[in-house]
Amino acid sequence: MPRKPRLHLPGGFYHVILRGNGRQAIYFDAADRDQWEAYLQQGLTRYGHRIHAYCWMTNHVHMAIQAGTDPLARFMAFLASNYARFVNRKTGRPGHLFERRYRAILVQQHSYLKELLRYIHMNPMRAHMVEDLADYPWSSHHAYLQEAGAPWLTVDCLLQLFGATLPAARHCYSQFIGQEQSAAMLGLLRQGAAEDDRLIGDDAWVKTVLGKQNSLGMKTTLDELVQGACQRHNVTESMLSSSSRKRAYSNIRAEIALAATEQRIASVTEVARRFGRAHSGLSRAMNRMRDSAK
């Protein structure tokens, strides 16, 4: 059965999960997490998303991301590919660092965000890595209690769900976080709804979202895709169409082709023709980019 297209809802909240290939470790020391966060901040600035919660486990990550106008796929490809290259250079190892595609589950804002926040922050305790969340330094839990968070982290939005004032919200959060989640809720937050694993919400909300599925992607043209990519990467279309074999140009063309095909704007053949490239070469570049984001 063909894979369903990702749902792109600007302003929507997603539970994003990215795992190491074969459940192998993706972080080997504290410096690795620092480098991951450096790429993360660059990607958030470039693509305009917001992170409201996170947990960096040893072999996978969880994030609550609010999408901007750009699809999450571009941000995740940027983050995963840059970090994978960093780890492979550092360790001298070849191959894929990450497993398959990342998961991105669209979450109904008012009904499930508090549950998602608890799910993300409780990961270290469920994995028996710590007995107290205060002892786990690589999550946004501390920022929700009292400590200053990373500059790229947004906490005010979800804290408002717990109380009208900051002290009241922090107190209610601290009471809420330790309460047990049901097996059904854990399954939903891990896998998505049984009817459609791309999202979690009540029946009316799900029906509305799926009814608008064809309009959830960016309303754009191939011209606008190319223009946006050129602006982000500070290049011109003539550079991308030149005879240069720079890998950077190949990656940008692949990024454009992936966005065009995922959003059903243009085919690989049409994008290849636009840049004067062979279909086979562009397809290989797209596959490399997909693999690096797995």
Side-chain angles (χ1 to χ4, degrees):
M1 175 180 290
R3 217 160 33 195
K4 293 179 180 178
R6 293 192 186 277
L7 299 176
H8 174 56
L9 180 63
F13 288 80
Y14 292 80
H15 180 201
V16 173
I17 309 164
L18 182 63
R19 298 186 183 279
N21 190 25
R23 303 302 176 96
Q24 68 178 333
I26 59 174
Y27 304 118
F28 303 95
D29 55 37
D32 290 344
R33 290 179 171 86
D34 290 341
Q35 186 61 59
W36 167 267
E37 292 186 358
Y39 289 132
L40 181 97
Q41 185 167 11
Q42 292 174 29
L44 292 175
T45 301
R46 175 176 293 189
Y47 295 104
H49 306 308
R50 301 169 75 186
I51 290 187
H52 295 270
Y54 69 90
C55 185
W56 314 143
M57 301 292 279
T58 303
N59 64 0
H60 68 285
V61 303
H62 292 271
M63 294 179 278
I65 302 183
Q66 187 176 15
T69 56
D70 270 341
L72 284 177
R74 300 180 190 175
F75 165 70
M76 292 302 297
F78 172 88
L79 175 60
S81 60
N82 277 285
Y83 182 72
R85 284 193 292 270
F86 162 78
V87 170
N88 287 351
R89 286 194 304 267
K90 176 177 176 177
T91 61
R93 44 149 285 175
H96 302 307
L97 180 65
F98 295 109
E99 177 182 75
R100 301 191 305 274
R101 298 200 313 167
Y102 67 91
R103 293 290 312 278
I105 304 170
L106 180 61
V107 177
Q108 187 175 9
Q109 182 170 345
H110 297 295
S111 302
Y112 291 93
L113 276 184
K114 290 169 69 173
E115 294 290 348
L116 176 58
L117 183 66
R118 177 161 57 189
Y119 176 86
I120 289 175
H121 286 168
M122 288 296 291
N123 259 269
M125 289 189 66
R126 283 196 301 273
H128 306 292
M129 298 175 72
V130 294
E131 294 184 0
D132 189 328
L133 289 184
D135 296 329
Y136 195 79
W138 299 298
S139 84
S140 48
H141 169 69
H142 304 276
Y144 275 83
L145 287 176
Q146 59 183 0
E147 298 178 18
W152 42 263
L153 177 68
T154 300
V155 300
D156 294 348
C157 178
L158 267 59
L159 267 178
Q160 291 174 2
L161 300 176
F162 293 93
T165 66
L166 187 59
R170 292 190 189 279
H171 174 74
C172 289
Y173 165 80
S174 66
Q175 298 297 309
F176 174 83
I177 194 67
Q179 297 172 14
E180 187 174 357
Q181 289 181 298
S182 68
M185 180 60 68
L186 290 173
L188 267 179
L189 295 170
R190 287 189 186 112
Q191 303 296 335
E195 299 80 5
D196 192 320
D197 63 4
R198 297 173 298 172
L199 70 177
I200 304 169
D202 61 41
D203 291 344
W205 180 81
V206 168
K207 184 176 180 180
T208 299
V209 170
L210 294 181
K212 295 178 178 178
Q213 180 176 345
N214 291 335
S215 63
L216 286 177
M218 293 178 65
K219 292 182 177 295
T220 189
T221 64
L222 183 56
D223 286 341
E224 290 168 339
L225 269 184
V226 172
Q227 181 181 13
C230 288
Q231 289 175 348
R232 284 194 302 275
H233 296 286
N234 194 28
V235 298
T236 65
E237 184 172 349
S238 62
M239 293 177 183
L240 300 179
S241 302
S242 70
S243 59
S244 171
R245 296 190 176 186
K246 284 186 177 180
R247 176 58 67 88
Y249 293 168
S250 175
N251 288 342
I252 297 169
R253 290 191 294 266
E255 176 187 315
I256 293 169
L258 281 172
T261 53
E262 285 184 358
Q263 299 172 43
R264 300 178 183 176
I265 293 168
S267 66
V268 178
T269 299
E270 290 170 318
V271 178
R273 186 183 302 124
R274 176 160 186 146
F275 295 116
R277 288 310 190 270
H279 179 286
S280 58
L282 182 57
S283 294
R284 286 194 296 271
M286 292 170 66
N287 288 334
R288 286 196 301 270
M289 183 162 285
R290 286 193 188 98
D291 289 343
S292 68
K294 287 179 180 179

